[in-house]
Amino acid sequence: MSLNRRRFLQSAGAAAGSALLPATPFAAPVPSELVAGVFRQQVRDRGADTAVWGFNQSVPGPLLRFQRGEEAIVRLKNRLPQPTTVHWHGVRVPNEMDGVPNVTQEALAPDAEFTYRFRTHDTGTYWYHPHQSSFEQVPRGLYGALIVDEDRPLPVDRELVWVLSDFKLGSDNQPVEDFGKVVDFGSGGRMGNTIAINGKAAGAQQRLQLRPNERVRLRLVNASSARILALDFTGHRPWVVSLDGQGVKPRPLRAPLVLGGGQRADLVLDAGAGSGEFAIWDRRDQGTRIATLACAGSPVRARVLGTPPAIAANRILQPDLQRATRHFLVFEGGVLGMPAIGQVDGRPQDVKSIMERHGLSWTMNYTAQHEHAMMHEPLFHLRRGEHVVVKMLNRTEFEHPMHLHGHFFQVVGLDGRPVGERVWRDTVMMAPRQEMDIAFVADNVGEWMFHCHILDHAAGGMMGTVVVE
Ligand code: C2O
Ligand code: CU
């Protein structure tokens, strides 16, 4: 470890210790092993601890933090009662390290081990989670954050990582054992009843203590299996500096920050000049107060800081729309609109009855796939270096956070109109009935998943692959 890196970790660790929220273990060395196992953790403040599945005896799993260009070597040991894999969400890895069962590797049987090894090319906030039975394994607690530091990190007083998720718990604080219900596959997904920040139940009692005029970088990951968040920092206007790990021109947050499953955002939050308490809300549904921002003590500096500097961009090839090939992707299904005809696993079928038999609810280009029988044809075959526009037609009444593996893309069109400011994403929220054009350069060779990150939807047929050859 370089001296710089050690110093950085020490200072970050020291600062994190003063927060009242569960401290992110910045100072801990990056573990070389992830052990997926079953254990108990205090999720709710009151009552019994909760039976969870997680990595290295903690939900979220350990923070994996690398420098750009560093080689990540992580040995996964499966101590779960099921097969599993780990996928590095957003990280552009070689295809065979992508952790997708039946596509890039075989799932690890209980007690098996596998070593993942890849170089980190892009800086930013990423995360990791299983790609096997993810509709069950993720909401039980198998996820963690992965950070690749910028060569010159944004100057802030302190940095925090919030891995947001939810648990569906009974009055005994134990998980409700209802994973894989067809009704969840076909509707909004299996929603938890307890939002969690870093594995602890969210609420007013979760306090983020700031000093006047202090500047904090808050890295947010939505690791929920179905929940879409809309975060409102009352009394504050944080700067959005990065989306899905990719720097954006710093802009003040003017409306609640929408984070679908799998999405990330980095905020720069400046405490005000005075002291006081402010609520942080999730504004979706009836609204939930998830934390309290408490500002007190002696000021860190005389006045609040101005616009933060932009994060240096990663090297991502810009798609040229003039010469891009065009592809279409039609989404249908859900409890409000089951398709009538189409194919399952590449064969023409009376889709409705077959889908019902397999617990499938959605189609992409008239096919439905499920992870245990990936006998499908890929959605698209792309040549390496090909510039691509995919027109996604959401013919469902639901929103879908769509995630492409191995690449970043830009949203270039919405409902037939071009989009002015383009940002890089690996997961994008597609509104009900929306038409969305995304563009990218297919420069990473392999077979890559393209799926909805409402994990129940993915299990219900909303997944496919794109081949780059
Ligand atoms: Cu975060 Cu294919 O997954
Ligand atoms: Cu979906």
Side-chain angles (χ1 to χ4, degrees):
M1 189 165 23
S2 74
L3 190 60
N4 265 345
R5 178 166 162 78
R6 191 171 305 130
R7 251 196 229 124
F8 172 72
L9 291 174
Q10 279 167 354
S11 61
S18 61
L20 296 181
L21 274 164
T24 316
F26 281 176
V30 173
S32 56
E33 216 174 72
L34 286 178
V35 184
V38 178
F39 53 96
R40 306 184 73 84
Q41 176 165 312
Q42 196 74 41
V43 174
R44 284 186 171 153
D45 296 324
R46 265 182 270 278
D49 54 8
T50 299
V52 294
W53 295 8
F55 294 107
N56 299 10
Q57 303 286 309
S58 135
V59 178
L63 173 65
L64 303 182
R65 189 158 204 157
F66 304 100
Q67 284 182 298
R68 190 166 68 87
E70 195 177 338
E71 184 168 48
I73 304 174
V74 182
R75 188 156 190 80
L76 171 65
K77 297 189 171 169
N78 184 9
R79 304 277 181 269
L80 302 172
Q82 298 181 354
T84 196
T85 64
V86 168
H87 167 62
W88 317 94
H89 184 121
V91 183
R92 294 195 284 180
V93 298
N95 194 244
E96 65 275 16
M97 294 292 125
D98 203 39
V100 180
N102 302 315
V103 177
T104 68
Q105 72 173 109
E106 258 178 66
L108 279 69
D111 286 321
E113 302 185 8
F114 183 87
T115 301
Y116 292 94
R117 189 188 273 267
F118 52 88
R119 218 166 261 295
T120 55
H121 298 292
D122 304 309
T123 66
T125 305
Y126 304 98
W127 66 298
Y128 59 92
H129 63 82
H131 223 283
Q132 168 78 38
S133 304
S134 53
F135 65 90
E136 171 175 2
Q137 295 190 8
V138 172
R140 284 190 187 275
L142 288 157
Y143 43 77
L146 187 156
I147 291 174
V148 180
D149 281 305
E150 293 106 31
D151 299 348
R152 303 167 147 273
L154 267 193
V156 292
D157 299 310
R158 196 142 57 104
E159 192 179 300
L160 296 167
V161 182
W162 281 8
V163 180
L164 302 161
S165 62
D166 65 1
F167 291 86
K168 186 170 177 181
L169 303 178
S171 54
D172 57 355
N173 290 359
Q174 299 317 306
V176 178
E177 297 287 338
D178 66 345
F179 302 95
K181 284 205 320 214
V182 173
V183 59
D184 287 330
F185 283 6
S187 57
R190 179 182 175 275
M191 204 66 72
N193 53 17
T194 308
I195 298 179
I197 302 176
N198 292 343
K200 294 282 287 172
Q205 81 291 354
Q206 285 258 33
R207 292 166 70 83
L208 171 53
Q209 200 76 47
L210 298 178
R211 283 167 57 196
N213 297 338
E214 186 178 10
R215 170 163 279 184
V216 170
R217 176 178 186 169
L218 186 55
R219 297 183 189 251
L220 301 168
V221 177
N222 186 356
S224 312
S225 54
R227 182 179 295 277
I228 296 160
L229 297 160
L231 301 176
D232 184 359
F233 296 78
T234 58
H236 289 80
R237 189 163 276 187
W239 300 91
V240 180
V241 294
S242 161
L243 294 170
D244 290 354
Q246 311 312 308
V248 296
K249 186 166 176 277
R251 61 189 76 180
L253 190 62
R254 296 189 192 278
L257 173 73
V258 175
L259 276 187
Q263 292 190 307
R264 291 88 64 212
D266 289 26
L267 304 180
V268 165
L269 184 77
D270 291 309
S275 44
E277 294 206 347
F278 305 88
I280 304 176
W281 286 82
D282 168 33
R283 293 288 185 200
R284 290 281 295 210
D285 310 324
Q286 325 80 34
T288 311
R289 184 169 172 170
I290 65 164
T292 302
L293 233 155
C295 195
S298 56
V300 170
R301 56 182 57 81
R303 68 188 53 175
V304 71
L305 294 168
T307 312
I311 293 170
N314 288 313
R315 280 212 240 154
I316 309 172
L317 288 177
Q318 191 72 36
D320 174 353
L321 304 190
Q322 300 311 313
R323 63 170 163 125
T325 51
R326 309 263 156 176
H327 298 271
F328 290 84
L329 195 45
V330 179
F331 300 85
E332 293 189 292
V335 287
L336 303 175
M338 189 71 110
I341 51 152
Q343 330 184 312
V344 174
D345 288 337
R347 291 182 303 274
Q349 307 277 6
D350 158 15
V351 156
K352 200 165 188 318
S353 66
I354 303 260
M355 286 179 64
E356 276 167 358
R357 188 139 35 86
H358 288 278
L360 293 168
S361 314
W362 310 91
T363 58
M364 287 166 74
N365 282 359
Y366 315 105
T367 30
Q369 289 157 24
H370 47 104
E371 65 178 16
H372 295 295
M374 295 290 283
M375 295 157 56
H376 62 277
E377 282 299 306
L379 295 164
F380 312 122
H381 288 268
L382 307 172
R383 274 171 296 105
R384 180 184 189 172
E386 189 170 334
H387 294 233
V388 185
V389 173
V390 179
K391 184 178 280 297
M392 303 197 291
L393 301 162
N394 182 6
R395 297 210 180 125
T396 79
E397 302 300 333
F398 293 84
E399 347 172 50
H400 304 285
M402 292 305 303
H403 173 45
L404 173 65
H405 286 207
H407 298 80
F408 298 105
F409 55 82
Q410 295 175 331
V411 176
V412 298
L414 279 178
D415 293 320
R417 281 184 298 280
V419 169
E421 197 193 354
R422 296 174 188 170
V423 297
W424 294 109
R425 304 237 51 150
D426 55 53
T427 308
V428 69
M429 285 302 303
M430 190 168 62
R433 298 272 157 199
Q434 194 169 46
E435 242 185 73
M436 178 182 275
D437 303 312
I438 61 166
F440 61 100
V441 179
D443 59 352
N444 201 353
V445 169
E447 184 170 8
W448 302 102
M449 295 299 295
F450 193 6
H451 66 92
C452 179
H453 223 288
I454 292 179
L455 300 172
D456 309 278
H457 290 186
M462 230 174 151
M463 61 167 127
T465 65
V466 173
V467 171
V468 181
E469 53 207 349

